[in-house]
Amino acid sequence: MIPLTLAEVAAAVDGRLVGADPQARVTGPVEFDSRKVAAGGLFVAFPGEKVDGHDYAAGAVEAGAVAVLGTREVPGVPMVLVADARDAMGRLARAVVDRLPDLTVIGLTGSSGKTTTKDLIAQLTVRLGATVAPPGSFNNELGHPYTALKAGPETRYLVMEKGARGIGHVRYLCELVPPRISVVLNVGTSHIGEFGSRENIALAKGELVEALPADGLAVLNADDALVDAMASRTVARVVRYGEAPAADVRAEDVTLDDRGRASYTLVTPEGRAPVRLGLTGRHQVSNTLAAAAVARELGMPLTELAQALGELGLVSTRRMDVFDRPDGVTVIDDSYNANPASMSAALKALASLGRGRRTVAVLGYMAELGPYERDGHAEVGRLAAELGIDRLLVVGEPAAPIHEGATAVGNWGGESVVVTDQAAAVEVLRDELRPGDVVLVKGSRYRTWDVVDALRADAAAGNAGPGTATGGGAA
Ligand SMILES: Nc1ncnc2c1ncn2[C@@H]1O[C@H](COP(=O)(O)OP(=O)(O)O)[C@@H](O)[C@H]1O
Ligand SMILES: [Mg+2]
């Protein structure tokens, strides 16, 4: 945050000061959780369904807030009164980024891999200058301004993921925090229930490059036709990444090691350099190329870039987080979320990591597929069988089409079962897992991660073998 007087805050948010000194300065963080308020901060009171932020206004001021931004007066509390607190937070964020001429805003969107790639980009930009990137997803109307308001005069890079749930959504987020570099990863089928078609999803995601200024940069995935075509929707320069020959930032000679980690030759207009990733999954080739294209644009030399790519780690949890239990069972925790594209990426990672070992996939329901729901699940099951996954545990009746898709593959040598819930899946795993097995756990937020936590706890308690589970890559 840059210091602003309350008069400046009020002007930025179209608000009215009540009982507040216009010359008092906000120097601290903007928070909507009163427990996080610090001296010099600004507290935003949201009228919630269960808790009303205004009830915490006085406490926030006691904790050091200079004023409270809210929608109704609270006696004795200096207020910036607005019609809509969320909208006001967005306007304030815009006012702050507009006052930071040295800040480069990097926005990214896509159907899969936004949070992962946001973390990758931030790990590269931090080598070039002070970086602000939100923890976890934080990709909506609230998380966006909240993150942008963390930027100060020292900040050089602000990395933001932009989720789209409908047409106009990304455009709105870009109005709050306009990007100078826009990265579009892929167009899949997540949220297809709301959008109706992949073309509509592309329409929505392309708003990210439409928002660019002429001196901006669009970083587009050359391997995804719907993304590649977005080049015609921007006035900015375009850099393509991918494995397609047309890509400016390209991977050649991709190989995977027995832990499912990719190595490749990074090819850019500046030359070629070998890259060896520490991240699991073939799809990380694409994600790291996107990050490389951004870092290259910001001036990172090729050899340093190749080296830095090899040092990238996981930041946000439960995304391709691989850990070994002392009993020799390897667990792939990809339980944060699931859609058909990320299921496919995860199953391929399981197959490659599990070469020569027994592979087990614990798969849950994928939310928000709408009319594509049945087919989406069935295709995942079919892919699991085609990849030769040995054992499938389908968690919950709504996910049963995964089971049907798998068992419909005639020559599949594996076995599938539908279990009622997470606890039942854990029971089966406790019974069946043997040293050397590789287990993938994945689903859409319906707490498939309980299964992972049980697998970790088993190892720690010695139920599955002596010793303590070694950590995943999460930090
Ligand atoms: N390029 C990619 N293609 C397909 N799946 C991916 C890709 N990158 C990440 N994933 C997988 O997608 C899931 C969601 O990842 P995440 O980074 O949280 O994406 P998002 O923020 O877009 O929801 C994880 O299971 C992750 O392993
Ligand atoms: Mg995300």
Side-chain angles (χ1 to χ4, degrees):
M1 177 79 182
I2 51 172
L4 292 175
T5 64
L6 288 180
E8 288 170 318
V9 171
V13 302
D14 207 4
R16 186 165 61 86
L17 295 180
V18 177
D21 172 6
Q23 292 317 310
R25 279 154 73 86
V26 178
T27 53
V30 179
E31 298 292 351
F32 47 85
D33 178 339
S34 63
R35 290 163 299 186
K36 290 191 180 162
V37 167
L42 180 70
F43 176 62
V44 181
F46 285 108
E49 277 153 33
K50 290 204 197 93
V51 279
D52 183 342
H54 296 83
D55 294 344
Y56 297 85
V61 171
E62 256 165 57
V66 177
V68 174
L69 181 81
T71 48
R72 63 176 164 79
E73 288 184 41
V74 179
V77 171
M79 298 283 307
V80 184
L81 275 185
V82 293
D84 182 318
R86 182 180 294 226
D87 173 67
M89 220 167 125
R91 286 167 186 247
L92 187 59
R94 177 64 191 257
V96 165
V97 296
D98 282 350
R99 284 171 166 82
L100 296 171
D102 295 333
L103 182 73
T104 298
V105 177
I106 301 152
L108 75 157
T109 193
S111 295
S112 305
K114 292 181 294 297
T115 298
T116 304
T117 309
K118 176 264 297 169
D119 292 335
L120 301 181
I121 292 172
Q123 287 177 71
L124 296 180
T125 59
V126 77
R127 294 168 178 249
L128 300 167
T131 296
V132 169
S137 268
F138 260 63
N139 60 2
N140 59 16
E141 304 93 323
L142 195 58
H144 233 66
Y146 180 77
T147 303
L149 285 164
K150 298 282 177 222
E154 69 295 340
T155 312
R156 290 293 163 270
Y157 306 107
L158 176 60
V159 191
M160 308 267 246
E161 102 179 60
K162 312 217 183 219
R165 293 188 148 262
I167 302 289
H169 205 132
V170 169
R171 185 183 320 132
Y172 172 72
L173 295 176
C174 289
E175 279 161 16
L176 299 183
V177 188
R180 197 182 68 75
I181 300 180
S182 290
V183 185
V184 187
L185 300 175
N186 45 52
V187 174
T189 48
S190 57
H191 304 304
I192 198 161
E194 286 140 76
F195 282 104
S197 69
R198 284 185 74 221
E199 284 66 25
N200 280 348
I201 296 176
L203 213 54
K205 304 222 178 286
E207 292 170 5
L208 189 65
V209 299
E210 283 175 348
L212 287 168
D215 64 349
L217 180 78
V219 175
L220 298 178
N221 183 353
D223 298 329
D224 185 314
L226 288 174
V227 175
D228 195 69
M230 290 177 193
S232 66
R233 292 170 62 187
T234 184
V235 295
R237 207 156 36 88
V238 172
V239 161
R240 290 182 165 82
Y241 70 90
E243 294 176 53
D248 309 289
V249 175
R250 202 163 67 243
E252 284 181 6
D253 314 321
V254 179
T255 58
L256 290 183
D257 71 8
D258 60 2
R259 297 288 288 184
R261 296 170 298 205
S263 292
Y264 59 85
T265 305
L266 176 64
V267 185
T268 75
E270 290 72 50
R272 308 165 66 87
V275 171
R276 207 169 144 195
L277 297 179
L279 304 161
T280 302
R282 178 77 168 71
H283 60 285
Q284 302 288 15
V285 174
S286 186
N287 295 343
T288 54
L289 286 174
V294 171
R296 169 181 172 261
E297 169 72 11
L298 298 174
M300 191 179 285
L302 178 64
T303 41
E304 189 185 333
L305 181 53
Q307 168 84 20
L309 292 176
E311 289 166 13
L312 293 171
L314 291 179
V315 175
S316 301
T317 53
R318 303 197 187 281
R319 295 164 176 92
M320 281 291 155
D321 193 348
V322 183
F323 64 94
D324 290 310
R325 302 201 316 183
D327 65 349
V329 171
T330 299
V331 180
I332 308 174
D333 177 5
D334 202 36
S335 62
Y336 179 73
N337 205 345
N339 61 48
S342 69
M343 278 283 195
S344 159
L347 285 168
K348 287 173 186 166
L350 172 64
S352 92
L353 215 135
R355 213 166 289 141
R357 303 166 68 177
R358 194 167 77 113
T359 48
V360 182
V362 183
L363 305 181
Y365 177 68
M366 296 179 284
E368 295 163 342
L369 292 180
Y372 184 63
E373 173 163 329
R374 226 205 124 67
D375 288 352
H377 285 86
E379 271 167 38
V380 162
R382 178 161 0 111
L383 178 68
E386 283 167 3
L387 288 167
I389 303 304
D390 298 301
R391 182 71 165 126
L392 205 52
L393 302 187
V394 177
V395 185
E397 201 51 45
I402 297 179
H403 168 82
E404 289 152 26
T407 48
V409 175
N411 57 355
W412 181 40
E415 268 183 282
S416 172
V417 63
V418 181
V419 295
T420 48
D421 56 14
Q422 284 80 346
V426 171
E427 284 311 306
V428 176
L429 290 170
R430 283 196 178 129
D431 193 43
E432 293 187 1
L433 284 184
R434 299 285 174 267
D437 289 353
V438 189
V439 191
L440 164 72
V441 184
K442 188 164 175 66
S444 252
R445 293 201 186 121
Y446 285 76
R447 302 202 64 87
T448 9
W449 57 60
D450 287 348
V451 175
V452 178
D453 293 345
L455 290 175
R456 269 191 206 275
D458 277 357
N463 295 352
T468 310
T470 47

